[in-house]
Every structure is written in structure tokens, then in C-alpha cells.
Amino acid sequence: MIRWRAARKHLMEPLPSGTITFLFTDLEGSSVRWEHFPQSMKEALVRHDALLRETFTRHRGYTFKHTGDGFCVAFHTAHEAVTAAVEAQRALAAEPWNEAGPLKARMGLHTGAASLRDGDYFGQTLNRASRIMDAGHGGQILLSSATSQLARDLLPAGASLIHLGEYALRSMDRLEKLFQVVVPDLTSKFPALRTVEVLPNNLPYSATSFVGREQDMVEVQQLLGKTRMLTLTGPGGAGKTRLGLESGATVLPRYRDGVWLVELAPLRDADGVIETVANAIGLREQPDRSLTEVLHEALRKKQMLVILDNCEHLPEECRRVCSAVLQAAPGVTFLATSRQPLGVAGELVWLVPPLDVMRLPEGGIATDEYVHQLSQYEAVRLFIDRASAARPGFTLTRQNAAAVAEICYRLDGMPLAVELAAARVRVLSPEQIAAKLNDRFQLLRTTSRTVLPHQQTLHTLIDWSYDLLLEKEKLFFQRLGIFVGGRSLEALEAVCSGDGIEAYEVLDLLEQLVQKSLVTVEPGTDDESRYTMIESIWFYAREKLDESGESEKLAQRHFQYYLALAEEAAPHMEAPEQVAWLEKLHADVYNLREAIQWALTDHVSAEEGLRLVAALQRPWELRGSLDAAQEAYAKMLRKPGSEKPTLQRAKALDAAGRIAWCQDDYEIARRCYDEAVLLYRALGQENLAVFLETLIAFVDRGDGDLELAEAKLQRALVYSREQGMLRLEALSLSGLGTLALDRGDAPRGLEYKREGLALYRKLGDRWIIGLVLWGVARAATAQGDLVAARASLQEWLEILRGFRNRWALPYLLQALAELDMREQRAMHAATLLGTAEALRESLGLKFTAAEAADYTRLISRLKEQLSESDFEDAWAEGRNLSPSQALEDAPDTGIKTPT
């Protein structure tokens, strides 16, 4: 790097400036090559660097950063950049590589403005170029829309551009149209782009830009290549979470099975850590197995990065979970954020530094040169970015530069502190902000001249922000602390109004707190905004609420609101609008958990608690934690007062039985169902009793008593038609169809299933429609009607997509494999089964005895059509594909996997 910069200086060429085209490169699969061919890779990388450096220099490219096996290059024009990229790819393709090769580089180009300091470039243009490169594959050249417009008329001879579509790039606030450079003598076909929306992950969208920390990002990425347990430490507000998320998004292509965020801040109980980790990566509980066993088995062969965010309040449990997973799953890496190390064996601890700052100008006078230099420092760049958002048109000038420098310097470059200060430019000048900081922090800085107590500094900063609020704003702010994980405007109006705040004032008060950066606005369901708080600010609000003496009163309002919400949603969960309501409840999953915990206290009656858990049965079945649901039912049904023979107890028992049935725990299901039936009849609820007896028939089937199950279903069918109970009739018909299929009577099974399906369509219960469609497909396949079977499976998949349900996908893939096998597409069938197996492992799913028999039969028939090597190749290929990739070649289906 030093020699390169010296050479540039000797040439005396001006560095690219103004509108610059950036070219980012990175070698694909270099980590594996280094592991298997360390000496050969060392030699090959020398040749790789020489080829690219010579090519870029020839086209006036300035290499301002070398990332180990990649280059960051600035070009004066887009034409020169694209030409250099094409020639570099040709050079790499033509090179006679040793055993470590061939080396293939992915390349991304974007054009825009950037800041230059000490021979290095900074700004969002570089971030976008990097994200574009990340989306590509080895040998591929990707251009942004801006670069393609500038280069399309001056492309290298024979080259052309193809539009790949619009893609969401990580942390970019707008979609990017991406173009691929196609050259006749180079590979032009590549897999789907590796964007955030394609690669498996659950990383959240960031509404604000990521400013600074370019070198920190490089260091974190390098450390992730050296350890399986990296903990980012530092005080609250240091930016640990954001750095972790950005780093995770950048290294996403390294991890075949994705990057998964586990948010621990809302947890209060250490026992919830393992459940939260499992839920984040989409695991499902299994009967007679602990969640720990399910997690370890699911991750055993996975290659993924798990980000554990905010571990400091649960260090022992986080240490235990991480240690066990690291031992059980050699391909899993943890990236934790915590205010202290976790103490895991082999843990690398990296202290997140503050953003770099610049001391005040001597004499307090800012020259133009000083203003330019100041604008390149990270903390100042962050202040300018956030201040510009708060007050459009804000710029750094000679008049305000000294004050901005003082603000960032006195706040030690802490990102949260800088953001809160920048938000004040709506009402204060930088000079006024600096003066208030001097007043507030004088004593604190005097008492700690050697080591700054960062947590106290952050708390003091929030104190200062809180003190600037009007009295009614303070009251509203502290009441926000009763919520966990997010709030809707409707919830805020219901819970926070009263006793000094009118409902119509809530929106104005909320807007004030958003403007002062104490509350963040995030997109929610149905275009409904959600209002969140940074963790440290939330803890502060909760502390103020406790000090106010309003905690119990607000907790009761909070419970009443979420009880009403759950009961309002319950009937919609079996109707056409069930997906929208499921999303609405899922957005408040942490608040609902908090409401359940409050319901277990003496402040809530047993009847109200039973009402809440009964109303949440279907959401738990579709997307929740079945273990957590069963625990909630058990606790609520044991609460003093719940033993009374009321309708609410019967409904809670009914719901608990359903959850137990979903877990294949037939003993608990039968016990709950039997007691509920007795209560329903004692209370004169005969229709509910008959419906529940029909559900018990499915428990009888699970226990192997088909005769008893059929008798109950036949009685229910007669009763449903006498009473005009459409849902009971549909349930009975579908159940009879299942029994017919169990006995090998496909024609009768198909007839029953289709009759039941028609009734469920009238009811609009899409979740049950999907499950019945599976039965229809099984029956149609058995009869050889593969067209009807495929149509049913396609509709089922669209339903799963709406629910964002993943545990049913392996069953769908296996059903499609059965169709492919029957249509002599054995290779694709084996590929689908490989994908299904990998997904089943990741979700912790196990076969029942009947399912295992069907699976074994299908494998046996496939091996009759394929050689052993072809079967193994297709199977291995499928294991490395996502469901959407595996289904791309499915014939005439149009099926797309849910995300």
C-alpha cells in the first residue's frame, strides 16, 4: 500500500474527484482455498494482485484500499472503470492457476460523489458499491443504474448490458436497478443475486444511513474469519448493535445458511434465551425432546452466523447457550453485543471504539481548511447527517464548525449522544447546544479525568434530553416505558392517555419525542407505523415510570388493551382476513408476553387471564412458540380462581388441548379436551362440546384407534347437518378423508377431502384450507391425477407464503418430489428431497412412523430410476439450495417459496 501510494505521488496525477466511479472486487471462496491450499493460495494471490493492479493502473484507476483478496479502486470515468473490470476478468480467466485456482472475483461498480481524506475515500457512494459487489458471484460484473447510464455508450468491444431488475441492498434506503456486463468470451450465466431479500436472514431494515466506521467494519469482518465467538463490547450508546448488524449484512455471502439476529433486550428471564434463539432461526418444538436438543441437532451441519444482541443482562445463560452450540455445531459462529465479555471459551472481545473526533481549532477560529478537515471525521459526519435530516439545509460552516467540533469532542464521539445532540438543531443552534453541554457535563468530566464513565455519560445525556422536555412530554415519555419491543399509535392512545394527557394530545406528544430522537419510527403492518426506543432510552423511561408510582396503573391499562386486541383478533383468525390479523398480533409479540406475565399476578383476575390465553391459541399455532404457549396455559389454569367451572376455563382448556395436539402430545391433549367437553356440557354449550369431541377423534387416530375416530366423525357429520354447523361439517368431512387415505382408499379419501375443502373455502379459513389441500394432493397423487395434485400444492404454497410459515415447506417439497418421480423427473425429485432434508434439519422436524414409511418408499423408488452417483449428486445439490432455488426448475408450477 505504501509503495503504491508512493508510485501515485511520483506520477503526479490528480486523484479522481467530483463524480467518481468506484470498483470493488472480492474473491469468491477464498476462505476454503486458504484452508485446503495455504501455500498455493499464497502464491496464487500474489499473481491475482499483480494482474488486477496492473490492469487498474493502465486505466487510471487509483487503488485506495486493499482488503486482503479484494480491491477498492476509484476511476475518473465510468468507461475506464468498466473497461478495467472486463479486462481484469479476462486476465483472471486466462491465467493458468495452480491447484488453488481458478480464482474468480466478483465486481461491483457505482458512480457518485465521495469525500477524500489522507488518500482514502468516504461516503454512501462507497457503501452502495460495496453492497452491489456483495450481491454478485465470482466472475460477474455488476453495475448500478448510475454507472450503466454513463458507460452504456462506451462499452468495451463486444460487451453489452442486461438489466437484472431492482433489488433491495442492505442499509440502502432505495432500491437499486442492477445491470450485468456481458462479454462473449466470459461466463454470462450466474445464480440469483445474493441480495438481502434472497439470502436467508432476518436482518431488519435500517431507516437511517450507516455513517463512518469503515475501518471498524473491516476489522470486525476479519475477526469473524478468525474466531467463532466474537463479542462487541462497550457502553450503551456506543453503536454495538448497528455495527454488528452492518457487519452481519456485509459477511452474509460467507454463510450458506444465513445470518440471524436474536434480540435479547426485551427478555427478563434467562430461561427465555434458548427459546428466543430457536424462534429467531425458525425452529419448531418437538414432543419428548428439549428445545436445547432440537437446537443442537438442527444446527449441527449448518454454516451460519448468529447475532446475539444485548446480552449484558443475561450473561450466564448466553454463555451457556453459546458454549453448548459452539461444541455441537462446528459451522456456527456467534457475534454478540454486550456491555461486558460473556466468558465463552475461545471468545474474542473487541471494544467498539467511539467515532473519531477532532479537537477544537486553536483559538476557537475555524478556517476553510479546518472546516474541510473537520467534515471528514466520523462523529462530525454523523452529526451533519442527522442534523441535515432534522433541519434540511443544515451544513457545516466556518461559523458553526467550532461548536460542532466541541459537541462531538465533549460527547466522546458516542453515536447515540451525537445523534441526540444533532436532533436539537431543530430548535437550537450548534453554539447553543454546545453551551448546554458545557453546563450539564462540567461536574461529570471534572470527577473523571482519566477514565470516562461512559454509562454515566449516556445516562447524563438522557437526563439532559429528559430535562429539556415539557412537563407533559416527560409524563408521556415515562409512560412509553410500559411497552416492550414497539408500540402502535392506537396502543399509545389507549394506554398513555388519561390522568393528565388527553387522547387527542398523544400524537402531538409522540411527534415531539420523535423529533428529539427519543423515539424511532419504523414501518409496521398495513402501512401502520411502529414507535420504538433505543434500549438504553427504554430502560431510562422504565426507570422514570417506576419512580413516578404509575407502574401498576399503566401495567393494568397495558394488559386491558392487549386483552381487547387479542379477543378482537380471535374471530378473524379463522376468517379470510386472518393473515392481516396475524401480522398485527405478531408485531406486538413482546407486549403480549408482557401482558401474560401481568395476568399471572394478583392484579388480574383468573377469568381475564384465561380469556387472554384462550384468544391467542391460533396465533401460537401458526407462528408462535408452542412450548411457551403450553407453559402459559399450564400456569394460567393453575392460578388461584381458575379452577372455577366457567366458560372461560373450558375455552382455555380447549385451546391448551389444541396446542398439545400440535406438539403430538396426545396425553395432555386428551386430558384438556375431556375436561373441556364436560364443562361445555355442564354449561349448556352442546355445540362446542360436539365440536371438541370431533377434534378428539384426531387424537384417537394419532393413538391408532381408527374405528373409534371414524365413529365420532360420522356422528359429528350427522349432527353438523342437523344443526347447520358448517365448520363442524367441514372438519368431519376432512377427517373422514384422512381416515380413508390411511386405509388406502384414495378415491373415497379424495371425495371427502374435496367436500370438506369446498366448505372451508366458504368459511375463508385459509390456514385449514392449506392443510386440507395437502390431503387433496395426496389423494390425487395416489389416483394418478398429477395435474390436480400439483395445482393443490401450488395453492398450498401460496397460503404458506402469506402466513410466512416455514415448518410445512419440507412436506410440500416431498409432495412435489413424489410428482416429479412419477413423471420421470427423478433427478429433480432427488434435488427437492435434498433441500427438504436440509430444511427439516434446520427446523428440528422429525418424521412420524407413517411419514417415515412414505419417505423410505419414495427414496427406494427414486433409486430404481437413478444410478447411485446421480442420486447422491442431485441430493447433495439440493442440500445446498434454498427452497426457492430448488423450485425454479419445477415444471409448469409457477411456484415461488415464501419468504
Side-chain angles (χ1 to χ4, degrees), residues 676-698:
V677 168
L678 292 175
L679 281 175
Y680 280 145
R681 286 218 160 92
L683 296 166
Q685 300 289 332
E686 183 62 21
N687 285 353
L688 293 177
V690 173
F691 193 92
L692 192 49
E693 282 182 327
T694 310
L695 289 177
I696 296 175
F698 290 87

Side-chain angles (χ1 to χ4, degrees), residues 676-891:
V677 168
L678 292 175
L679 281 175
Y680 280 145
R681 286 218 160 92
L683 296 166
Q685 300 289 332
E686 183 62 21
N687 285 353
L688 293 177
V690 173
F691 193 92
L692 192 49
E693 282 182 327
T694 310
L695 289 177
I696 296 175
F698 290 87
V699 179
D700 297 331
R701 172 186 178 259
D703 286 337
D705 194 340
L706 301 189
E707 296 299 327
L708 179 59
E710 183 172 17
K712 289 180 179 179
L713 289 168
Q714 289 288 4
R715 286 199 302 269
L717 182 60
V718 173
Y719 185 88
S720 68
R721 288 170 174 170
E722 290 175 349
Q723 301 296 319
M725 296 173 62
L726 197 63
R727 188 174 297 276
L728 178 59
E729 183 180 359
L731 175 64
S732 304
L733 289 167
S734 179
L736 289 168
T738 300
L739 294 180
L741 289 172
D742 289 342
R743 290 170 168 144
D745 189 349
R748 191 163 182 78
L750 182 59
E751 181 182 354
Y752 275 132
K753 285 290 183 182
R754 283 178 170 167
E755 286 186 61
L757 179 62
L759 296 181
Y760 275 121
R761 289 193 189 281
K762 290 182 180 180
L763 294 167
D765 191 340
R766 289 185 59 75
W767 172 247
I768 304 300
I769 287 172
L771 297 179
V772 177
L773 282 167
W774 183 18
V776 170
R778 286 179 57 208
T781 301
Q783 289 189 272
D785 190 349
L786 304 188
V787 173
R790 199 176 289 279
S792 296
L793 294 177
Q794 179 173 343
E795 184 180 356
W796 184 29
L797 181 55
E798 291 305 314
I799 290 172
L800 294 181
R801 181 180 185 180
F803 285 112
R804 291 193 285 137
N805 181 283
R806 297 182 69 224
W807 65 260
L809 271 175
Y811 300 102
L812 175 78
L813 291 168
Q814 183 175 330
L816 287 169
E818 172 90 12
L819 297 184
D820 280 351
M821 183 272 296
R822 289 171 176 266
E823 294 175 342
Q824 304 301 310
R825 282 184 285 269
M827 287 291 287
H828 191 256
T831 300
L832 290 176
L833 288 179
T835 305
E837 182 194 63
L839 184 58
R840 189 178 289 110
E841 289 176 359
S842 72
L843 297 172
L845 299 176
K846 277 189 171 293
F847 286 126
T848 64
E851 290 168 347
D854 288 342
Y855 188 72
T856 301
R857 175 188 54 78
L858 178 56
I859 294 293
S860 177
R861 294 189 62 184
L862 273 178
K863 289 185 175 180
E864 292 175 0
Q865 298 182 22
L866 295 172
S867 68
E868 184 175 350
S869 61
D870 283 345
F871 177 84
E872 291 178 353
D873 288 346
W875 180 278
E877 179 186 359
R879 287 188 59 86
N880 291 318
L881 295 176
S882 68
S884 60
Q885 291 171 329
L887 290 168
E888 281 180 358
D889 297 327

Side-chain angles (χ1 to χ4, degrees), residues 132-149:
I132 292 172
M133 177 200 70
D134 289 341
H137 299 271
Q140 191 171 28
I141 303 172
L142 297 178
L143 311 184
S144 69
S145 177
T147 304
S148 70
Q149 292 177 10

